[in-house]
Structures are given as C-alpha cells and as structure tokens.
C-alpha cells in the first residue's frame, strides 16, 4: 500500500527528472493553470470559436449522439452532463471523495516518479475525468470529454481514470485543443484505464494543439481476462512537441488490444509517438499500427511489444511518409520475447511517395496536388473504427492541405 | 492526331529508342510489334510523358500541339489515355472511387464495370493483389471512364484467359468505334489507338489499319498488320531484320 506521504516523497524526488524521450521542458518557467473558472451549464453557450474547436476534436456541443459530456478548461472542471444514469461521469477529485476504494486505482498504473511531468501532476493534485461503466452495462453512445487549454504560459495538469467493470462496454472520445492566441503552454495528462473481465473500452483521442504547445500524456491501460481495448489516436495539426508512449498491459488470458495512430508533423513540430504492449498472460493479442507523415517536422514512431507469456501474438506496423526535404521520420520497432511459443512480428517502412504512383493518377487527368492528396488520404485510411462523423470533414480538409504543401 | 518525328529516348542515360517516326491519324488503329526488349513499352511511356523517359531528340505532336515536354496530366487532359504493362500498386485507393473521380462523377462505376465483370473489384485497392488479367480489365475500366481520344494499349491481351479476352476485345472495340456504323463515320468520329501486341489476338476484335515493327530501339518497317503478323509468325523477327536490310 502506498501511503500519501510516500507518494509525495517519490514525486518530489522526481520533480527535476527528465523524461526518457522528447524535448526536456523547463516547467518552472510556466505557472500552473487556474482551477477557478466559471462553469458552463450548457456547451452550446460557449462562444462560436470555442464550439468550433470542440467540434474539430470530435466533441459535439449539443451533446447529440453522446451519452455524456465533460469539459476541463485549464485546470477547472467547466462542464459536466450525463444522459445515461447507468454510467458514472464526474471529476477525479469528486470520485476520490465519493469512493474510498478508488485509491487502489489512482496512481497505480502510472508511477508518480516516472518523470517531472507525472511528478508535477501528482504534486499539483491534478484533476480530470472519472468515468465508470458498471458491470454488464453497455453504453450505446460514446461519452465525450474535452481538455481545453485556455491560458498562455501555464501547465494544464490532468489526471483521468476510466474503469470498465466486468462485461461492460464503453466508448470514450477525448478531444484536446487550444483556444486561439495561446502561444506557449504545456499539457500534462495522466490517464489510468482499467478494463475488467470480458469488458470492452473503445477510446478515441484527437489532438489539435497549437504551434508552441508541449504535450506530455502518460497513459497506462490494464486489461483483465478476455478484455478488449481499442484505441485510435489522431494528431494532424501543428504543435511544438508531443511525446507519448501509452502502455497496454495484457494481464488476463485472452485479452486483446489494437492501437492505431495517425499523425502529421508540420514544420517546427516534434512528435515522439509510441505504443507498447506487454503480454503478461497467455493467449493475448495486440496490434499496434501507426501511419505518420512529415511535411517538415520530426517524427519518431516507436512501437514495443514485450512477450512474457505463452501463445501471445502481436503485430507492429509503422509506416511513415516524408513529404518534404526538411522532414524526418524514424521508426523504432522493438520486439522482445521472454518465453517460447510466442509470435511477434513487425513491419516498418519510411520514405517518399513513389513517383510512379503520383504519375499513375496524373495519367488519368488528376493534377499533381490532387494525386498526392489522394495518395496521402489512402495512406492514412486504413480502417480505424469509431472515428466520430463530425471529424471527417476537418480531417479531409487537413489532408488536402497536406497534399498541397507536399509539392 | 499523333505525330512522332525523329524521336530518340534515353532511360537512365541509356539510349533505348532511336530516330522513331510514326503517325496515327484520327480514327485509325495502329499496332506495334517487336521482340522483347525492343522498346515498345518505352515508346508508349514516352508518349504519355512518364518521368524517366527522356526525349533527347525529336518531337511528339498531338492534336497539333508539341507535347514532347508536357506534364503527364496535361497530356491526359488533351486526350491521351494509357494502359501500361506494369501499373503500380495503389494502396488505400479504391478502384470504384477513382473511376468515379476520373469520369468527373458523370458515370456510375458499377454500370461501367459490369461488362468487364469488375463490379466486385470496385471496393478493392487498385492493382493490389490483382491478377494479370484483372489488371488489364481494371485499366480498361479506368480508360472507359477517362474517354481519351488516343488509346495507348500495352499488350491488352497478354495473360488474359479466353473468356476475359472476349470481354476485353469487345470493350476495346466499343471504346474505339463507339456507335459508328461504317468506316467513313469512324474516321470522322472514332478514336485512335496505338496497340502493342505479340500475338495479334486483339486483331480479331479490332481491325487495325497499319502495323509497325520495332526492334532494338529502331523502327524496322511498317505495313499491313496481318501481313506483318504472318511474316513474324513464319520467319520470326530475324526475317524482318533481314528484309529490312535488303530493302535499304
Ligand atoms: N529504367 C530502365 N533502366 C534501364 N533499362 C531500361 C529501363 N526501362 C527499360 N529499359 C530497357 O529498355 C529496353 C526496352 O524496354 P521495353 O520495356 O520498352 O521493351 P518492350 O519492347 O516493351 O519489351 P516486352 O515485349 O518484353 O514488353 C529493354 O532492354 C529494357 O531493359
Ligand atoms: Mg513491353
């Protein structure tokens, strides 16, 4: 049992600890985002600009097509609504007060002393969303949550916990965005997700940050026997730096996970995106897929699979397109087998768009831009399931802009 | 329609076509014979404008315009369409979606695909995992959507089974002749074609007006396509080469 004091001590000892990867930000130059912000009863009452920001990250202000909505603006819980009483949605602080047992989940998957970002989040008593689907409950529509940065020169500290109890099914959409005019800020996001026996969690995360924002998510997912975790991660807009390495621990027999990533690094962006599956139980499966594009920024696509139990099967696929001479793509796949009877494979490819493909389309009358756009769209479209409809327009628009810039 | 004058082409710094002269008039179909490696495909690729095929001498005129150095898509817009021998895999691009786009959304891809038995391929990524014959049919489907005035067809019948050859042959015939009912009308309204063939099977479906024999990057002779074919069948390309030498 980790006492509060002990956690605090560990966090304090890690407050200057650099992360294993990514640009090392000095958090002391930034303040901590405010927890004192007026709440909005209705997301529709937000200004037009903000509503558009929400929509572009899959968060529908009207709440239509969703069973619940949650908005965190800076460090304040600014909106919460729930239409399905069988689910629970509240702030992590509220949940910690309400449920004594939650201390057995909080800061159990993510270690407080992982690095300065987790340490700061702990010491600042980060708040966030708590979502729980009780045993056997199958939510018909997704819960949507939005983490919005509204002030400059601050760190937003977030701590989310999701628990999907036995046999339950839950869809969560989390959209992260920045209000206009935020030149410099940090987002530190701790997420701990528990998917219990036979349960399913579909998790879609969309990032739309801004040119000078640093982003350090720290996510760990725990899967019990027969549990399923499907994750889609999308980041197509400019950002200064994102470094994340979500880890899925397959702890129960037959657990399954699939993590898909699509990301674009614009000039000036550094994306260090990984995903990791740890097979700690027999008959577990994982598929880690990433499709990344650089139009001038740096991308490191990491993927790691660690096989510790028999009959585990995993496939890792990293594909990267380089659309500019300034850009950089690096794929780093790691496979580790610690037992016999295990099957881990990987496929990695980085490179330019093939000239013969572009000309093949041009030979039927498409312009060079149209041809590149079509190839890029085809590259990114590999059948992610559960992408919110509302997003597709914006994704299409972004992709055609990428196609134009590529030449 | 198409006029090639003294064309020489290099690929990777190596000369593969020398001093080619060729002319395809409106509404005429010409066929191109020649041994493997003669440069037939290279000639079509150069006419379409694919990169890597550098015209170092001579000119290509299409509809009166010098297209020798024109980008591929502008040639397509002017009315040239090609079926290449080895098209690339187009992962992520669905055949049906592309056919629709090429037709400027005027066409129902299913209707077009039906006579070619390609309906079940509309949802597949173009060329990915297609068999040899399926590639030919997919290329023809795209051409049917594109509706060029000059068809450049690289061995449309090679690797195609007997049933498909019927579909391919009659589709090409329909594309070239449209609903022209007589030879005169075809000259006025019909499409032109330059077709590469080894077996001449395509001649059973499309009447060709003129044949060329290309060997070692040079045009050996021209003549009646059936006569040339029979000659090649009986005496081989060596016969052509010898005959050409005796003539000059
Ligand atoms: N990229 C290249 N680099 C080097 N040589 C090439 C290249 N492309 C074509 N060639 C050569 O040019 C010559 C002509 O090739 P081409 O494909 O035009 O032949 P072809 O007449 O179409 O033959 P086939 O009947 O076998 O299709 C061949 O010797 C070929 O190897
Ligand atoms: Mg050839």
């Amino acid at each position: 049992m980790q006492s509060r004091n002990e956690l605090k001590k560990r966090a304090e000892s890690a407050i200057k600890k650099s992360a294993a990867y990514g640009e090392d930000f000095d958090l002391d130059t930034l303040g901590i985002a405010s927890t004192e912000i007026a709440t909005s009863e209705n997301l529709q009452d937000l200004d037009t600009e903000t509503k558009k920001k929400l929509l572009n990250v899959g968060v529908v202000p009207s709440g239509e097509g969703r069973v619940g909505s949650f908005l965190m603006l800076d460090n304040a819980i600014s909106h919460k609504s729930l239409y399905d009483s069988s689910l629970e949605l509240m702030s992590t602080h509220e949940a910690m007060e309400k449920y004594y047992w939650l201390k057995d989940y909080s800061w159990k998957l993510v270690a407080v002393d992982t690095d300065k970002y987790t340490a700061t989040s702990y010491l600042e008593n980060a708040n966030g969303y708590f979502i729980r689907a009780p045993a056997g409950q199958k939510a018909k529509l997704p819960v949507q949550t939005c983490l919005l940065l509204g002030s400059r020169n601050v760190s937003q500290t977030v701590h989310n916990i999701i628990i999907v109890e036995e046999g339950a099914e839950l869809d969560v959409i989390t959209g992260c965005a920045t209000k206009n005019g935020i030149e410099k800020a940090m987002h530190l996001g701790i997420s701990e997700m528990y998917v219990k026996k036979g349960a399913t969690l579909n998790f879609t995360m969309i990032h739309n940050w801004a040119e000078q924002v640093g982003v350090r998510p720290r996510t760990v997912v725990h899967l019990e026997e027969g549990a399923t975790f499907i994750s889609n991660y999308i980041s197509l807009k400019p950002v200064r730096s994102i470094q994340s390495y979500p880890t899925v621990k397959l702890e129960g027999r037959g657990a399954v996970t699939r993590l898909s990533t699509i990301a674009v690094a614009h000039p000036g962006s550094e994306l260090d995106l990984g995903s990791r599956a740890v097979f700690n139980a027999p008959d577990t499966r994982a598929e880690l897929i990433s499709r990344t594009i650089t139009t001038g920024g740096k991308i490191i696509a990491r993927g790691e699979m660690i096989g510790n139990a028999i009959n585990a099967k995993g496939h890792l696929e990293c594909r990267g397109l380089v659309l500019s001479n300034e850009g950089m793509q690096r794929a780093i796949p790691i496979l580790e087998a610690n037992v016999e009877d295990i099957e881990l494979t990987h496929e990695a490819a980085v490179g330019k768009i093939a000239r013969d493909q572009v000309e093949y389309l041009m030979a039927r009358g498409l312009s060079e831009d149209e041809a590149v756009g079509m190839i890029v769209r085809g590259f990114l479209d590999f059948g992610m399931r559960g992408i919110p409809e509302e997003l597709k327009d914006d994704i299409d628009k972004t992709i055609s802009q990428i196609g134009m810039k590529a030449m | 329609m198409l006029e090639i004058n003294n064309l020489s082409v290099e690929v990777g710094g190596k000369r593969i076509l020398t001093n080619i002269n060729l002319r395809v008039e409106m509404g005429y179909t010409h066929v191109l014979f020649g041994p493997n490696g003669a440069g037939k495909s290279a000639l079509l690729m150069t006419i379409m404008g694919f990169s890597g095929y550098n015209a170092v001498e001579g000119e290509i005129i299409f509809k009166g315009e010098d297209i020798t150095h024109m980008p591929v898509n502008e040639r397509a817009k002017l009315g040239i369409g090609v079926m290449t021998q080895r098209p690339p895999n187009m992962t992520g691009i669905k055949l049906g979606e592309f056919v629709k786009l090429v037709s400027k959304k005027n066409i129902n891809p299913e209707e077009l695909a039906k006579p070619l038995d390609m309906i079940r391929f509309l949802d597949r990524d173009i060329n990915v995992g297609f068999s040899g014959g399926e590639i030919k049919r997919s290329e023809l489907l795209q051409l049917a959507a594109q509706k060029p005035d000059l068809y450049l067809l690289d061995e449309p019948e090679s690797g195609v089974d007997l049933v498909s050859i019927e579909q391919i042959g009659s589709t090409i015939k329909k594309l070239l002749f449209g609903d022209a009912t007589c030879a005169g009308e075809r000259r006025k309204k019909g499409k032109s074609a330059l077709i590469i063939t080894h077996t001449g099977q395509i001649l059973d479906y499309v009447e060709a007006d003129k044949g060329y024999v290309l060997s070692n990057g040079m045009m050996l002779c021209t003549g009646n396509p059936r006569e040339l074919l029979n000659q090649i069948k009986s005496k081989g390309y060596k016969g052509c080469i010898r005959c050409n030498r005796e003539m000059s």
Side-chain angles (χ1 to χ4, degrees):
Chain A
M1 182 80 274
Q2 47 189 3
S3 76
R4 259 187 204 203
N5 257 335
E6 193 193 323
L7 278 177
K8 186 160 177 263
K9 239 190 266 161
R10 276 171 49 204
E12 279 166 349
S13 73
I15 196 73
K16 293 281 173 207
K17 183 178 168 188
S18 303
Y21 307 110
E23 178 182 353
D24 191 26
F25 285 97
D26 182 1
L27 296 178
D28 294 341
T29 61
L30 300 172
I32 294 294
S34 170
T35 54
E36 307 290 320
I37 290 171
T39 57
S40 338
E41 276 304 308
N42 190 334
L43 291 180
Q44 304 256 54
D45 298 339
L46 294 167
D47 59 277
T48 319
E49 188 64 49
T50 306
K51 279 194 284 192
K52 202 169 148 220
K53 295 259 174 197
L54 262 54
L55 209 53
N56 284 348
V57 290
V59 176
V60 184
S62 70
E64 209 181 314
R66 307 286 189 263
V67 286
S69 304
F70 183 97
L71 171 63
M72 181 158 162
L73 174 56
D74 289 339
N75 277 351
I77 308 306
S78 121
H79 173 85
K80 189 189 79 184
S81 52
L82 186 66
Y83 313 114
D84 181 341
S85 56
S86 67
L87 293 177
E88 291 183 80
L89 170 65
M90 62 189 91
S91 75
T92 304
H93 285 179
E94 261 180 278
M96 288 297 282
E97 272 182 28
K98 186 167 176 187
Y99 295 124
Y100 181 71
W101 50 260
L102 194 55
K103 66 181 177 16
D104 296 332
Y105 293 79
S106 171
W107 292 104
K108 281 297 159 84
L109 293 178
V110 176
V112 293
D113 55 359
T114 307
D115 52 38
K116 61 168 83 165
Y117 309 113
T118 58
T120 302
S121 301
Y122 180 78
L123 293 171
E124 293 299 334
N125 191 22
N127 204 353
Y129 57 76
F130 168 80
I131 307 174
R132 180 168 167 268
Q137 285 301 330
K138 298 186 175 173
K140 284 183 194 67
L141 295 167
V143 173
Q144 59 179 4
T145 64
C146 180
L147 308 172
L148 189 60
L149 258 171
S151 307
R152 64 183 77 176
N153 296 321
V154 296
S155 291
Q156 180 181 46
T157 53
V158 181
H159 182 200
N160 307 316
I161 300 174
I162 299 178
I163 301 173
V164 190
E165 302 283 0
E166 275 192 33
E169 280 177 22
L170 179 68
D171 283 19
V172 175
I173 296 168
T174 293
C176 298
T178 316
K179 279 197 175 183
N180 284 349
I182 308 305
E183 290 102 46
K184 198 175 154 202
M186 288 291 297
H187 166 87
L188 315 179
I190 313 303
S191 295
E192 299 181 285
M193 306 183 191
Y194 296 85
V195 188
K196 301 210 178 159
K197 195 171 166 184
T200 297
L201 174 59
N202 289 309
F203 186 78
T204 296
M205 180 178 262
I206 296 102
H207 276 180
N208 273 2
W209 300 105
E211 271 92 349
Q212 285 309 322
V213 175
V215 182
R216 294 294 180 267
R218 298 292 180 257
T219 301
V220 180
V221 184
H222 180 108
L223 300 186
E224 288 187 3
E225 186 181 331
T228 302
F229 176 67
I230 308 287
S231 154
N232 296 319
Y233 172 71
I234 301 173
S235 176
L236 304 177
K237 300 287 166 70
V239 59
R240 167 147 160 201
S241 163
I242 302 179
Q243 185 273 313
S244 70
Y245 212 150
T247 298
V248 180
K249 295 181 165 173
L250 300 118
E251 302 287 356
R253 180 183 282 272
V256 174
T257 189
R258 174 179 154 118
L259 280 75
S260 312
T261 299
I262 61 176
V264 177
H266 298 263
S269 293
E270 263 193 58
L271 307 182
D272 188 323
L273 305 173
S275 38
R276 185 187 285 122
V278 188
F279 302 86
N280 286 334
D283 302 321
T284 44
R285 302 272 177 275
E287 205 179 348
L288 312 179
I289 302 169
S290 85
R291 294 275 202 281
T292 52
I293 292 179
T294 167
T295 61
K298 270 172 80 170
I299 294 188
I300 301 175
R302 299 177 198 273
E304 186 173 352
M305 297 200 290
I306 304 168
N308 298 324
I310 57 157
N311 270 325
K313 212 168 156 178
H315 183 65
L316 178 60
E317 188 183 308
C318 308
R319 287 178 191 277
L321 265 189
V322 180
L323 296 185
S324 147
N325 286 332
E326 272 75 58
M328 190 279 275
Q329 281 268 9
R330 183 183 296 152
I332 308 180
I334 300 171
L335 306 181
E336 180 181 318
N338 296 312
V339 289
E340 281 184 90
D341 282 327
I342 202 156
E343 191 185 319
L344 304 179
T345 54
H346 84 78
E347 239 179 292
V350 297
K352 294 197 294 189
I353 292 186
R355 188 69 208 161
D356 63 341
Q357 292 193 342
V358 177
E359 288 185 355
Y360 182 76
L361 301 180
M362 287 174 73
R364 304 271 179 248
L366 271 65
S367 70
E368 188 153 354
D369 284 350
E370 289 168 335
V372 169
M374 196 159 193
I375 292 167
V376 167
R377 196 170 301 124
F379 173 80
L380 294 179
D381 176 19
F382 59 98
M384 272 193 180
R385 275 156 296 172
I387 303 285
E389 272 305 312
E390 296 75 19
L391 268 180
K392 288 189 174 151
D393 273 358
D394 191 56
I395 291 179
D396 265 0
K397 217 166 66 197
T398 310
I399 289 170
S400 42
Q401 283 163 359
I402 292 164
M404 308 273 266
K405 274 191 223 146
M407 291 297 106
Chain B
M1 172 108 344
L2 176 74
E3 197 183 319
I4 295 178
N5 299 318
N6 300 318
L7 182 72
S8 293
V9 174
E10 285 184 4
V11 175
K14 187 178 144 217
R15 173 71 62 100
I16 48 177
L17 291 171
T18 306
N19 201 19
I20 302 293
N21 289 288
L22 179 149
R23 188 184 276 269
V24 183
E25 298 83 3
M26 183 166 165
Y28 280 76
T29 299
H30 292 193
V31 288
L32 190 55
F33 301 107
N36 293 137
K40 304 179 298 295
S41 297
L43 180 58
L44 292 204
M45 300 296 272
T46 309
I47 298 172
M48 193 68 230
F50 288 109
S51 56
Y53 298 85
N54 301 318
V56 289
E57 258 175 70
E59 54 178 16
I60 308 169
I61 312 286
F62 181 68
K63 292 184 177 170
E65 248 186 271
D66 184 345
I67 62 162
T68 321
H69 301 288
M70 198 182 252
V72 185
N73 58 319
E74 285 177 30
R75 301 187 202 209
K77 283 200 176 123
L78 265 187
I80 308 181
V82 69
M83 165 197 284
T84 58
Q85 202 168 8
R86 264 189 303 268
N89 281 350
M90 302 299 293
T91 310
I93 300 180
K94 305 270 176 273
L95 179 62
E97 191 191 327
F98 186 53
V99 164
K100 191 152 188 170
L101 187 69
V102 168
S103 76
K104 311 230 157 48
K105 307 204 167 110
N106 290 324
I107 267 171
N108 175 0
E110 302 216 350
E111 232 163 78
L112 218 54
K114 207 168 170 195
L116 283 162
D117 198 15
M118 285 300 283
I119 290 182
R120 69 210 145 90
F121 292 87
L122 294 175
D123 281 335
R124 284 184 44 183
D125 290 358
I126 304 171
N127 300 331
V128 178
F130 284 17
S131 75
E134 288 160 3
I135 287 182
K136 305 283 179 199
R137 271 145 56 207
S138 139
E139 292 290 295
L140 262 190
L141 177 61
Q142 294 172 42
L143 283 170
Q146 187 186 351
K147 292 179 181 290
D149 297 322
L150 172 67
Y151 287 80
L152 305 173
L153 307 177
D154 199 341
E155 300 186 26
E157 78 276 65
S158 86
V160 172
D161 68 49
L162 290 174
V163 179
S164 305
I165 205 157
E166 177 69 37
Q167 292 164 344
I168 285 180
S170 52
T171 303
I172 294 177
K173 182 173 178 181
K174 212 165 88 203
L175 289 176
L176 291 183
F177 299 174
D179 33 1
T181 48
C182 66
E185 197 182 355
R186 205 196 130 204
R187 298 285 178 254
K188 271 205 220 113
K189 298 210 299 204
K191 309 293 186 185
S192 311
L194 182 58
I195 306 178
I196 298 176
T197 176
H198 283 294
T199 62
Q201 271 172 294
I202 191 68
L203 298 178
D204 297 342
Y205 300 89
V206 208
E207 209 48 64
D209 306 287
K210 195 172 180 182
Y212 294 85
V213 181
L214 190 72
S215 172
N216 200 16
M218 285 178 286
M219 213 54 105
L220 281 188
C221 56
T222 67
N224 176 288
R226 291 249 175 228
E227 267 175 52
L228 285 175
L229 187 63
N230 289 336
Q231 222 170 39
I232 295 163
K233 274 184 183 158
S234 58
K235 297 188 196 137
Y237 286 107
K238 283 209 181 84
C240 278
I241 295 171
R242 204 178 314 120
C243 159
N244 183 56
R245 214 180 289 134
E246 281 160 13
M247 276 195 317
S248 52

